[in-house]
Amino acid sequence: DSNLAKIRIIEQYKTNKCQKEDCKYQKPKASSQQDNLLLYDCFDYHSKGDQRRPVFVKLSKKASNVPLAYSQNVALEILLGQQPNESTQKHCINGYEYLYHPLNYKTVECQLA
């Protein structure tokens, strides 16, 4: 079902460390070089640069709503290139968190096509 696939992407994309030995991104590279690569073609993360935090907060089964761990907005400190602080953690801290946040995912049509 396509809705289940979308939920899986929103929930798990880039939230687990890649364990594939044959993954092309597992080869050692200079970290600054790897951080600049677009790593979209692997479902899991390889460095802090492409890691997402889980967006859904786990609650008891009695809870009726599912709170989000952070907002759909990019943290101002990240946009300004400043050092992250405690407030930063309440917002998206990289592009993957922004693009795959449930309130942002597939909400704007790509203008490049």
Side-chain angles (χ1 to χ4, degrees):
D1 182 45
S2 69
N3 285 336
L4 288 176
K6 288 178 187 175
I7 291 170
R8 181 176 179 264
I9 289 170
I10 289 171
E11 221 174 16
Q12 297 176 1
Y13 185 68
K14 300 286 185 190
T15 59
N16 297 304
K17 180 100 173 122
C18 181
Q19 302 297 322
K20 297 180 219 145
E21 292 181 19
D22 62 341
C23 180
K24 65 184 176 183
Y25 300 114
Q26 294 291 23
K27 296 178 181 127
K29 292 184 180 182
S31 61
S32 62
Q33 186 181 22
Q34 176 139 341
D35 287 344
N36 293 329
L37 292 175
L38 295 176
L39 308 174
Y40 292 108
D41 57 339
C42 186
F43 195 82
D44 298 316
Y45 74 86
H46 302 85
S47 69
K48 284 284 186 195
D50 74 324
Q51 180 180 4
R52 284 179 63 227
R53 297 169 292 164
V55 71
F56 297 114
V57 176
K58 303 228 185 262
L59 293 177
S60 69
K61 294 184 182 197
K62 295 178 183 178
S64 60
N65 63 348
V66 179
L68 300 174
Y70 49 89
S71 81
Q72 76 270 26
N73 302 311
V74 178
L76 182 61
E77 297 79 16
I78 301 300
L79 292 173
L80 296 175
Q82 297 174 349
Q83 193 69 350
N85 59 41
E86 190 176 314
S87 171
T88 306
Q89 300 303 313
K90 298 175 186 174
H91 307 287
C92 299
I93 57 174
N94 62 35
Y96 289 105
E97 287 190 357
Y98 177 79
L99 290 172
Y100 294 92
H101 191 284
L103 298 177
N104 296 334
Y105 186 66
K106 293 194 174 195
T107 58
V108 178
E109 186 174 348
C110 178
Q111 300 300 314
L112 298 176

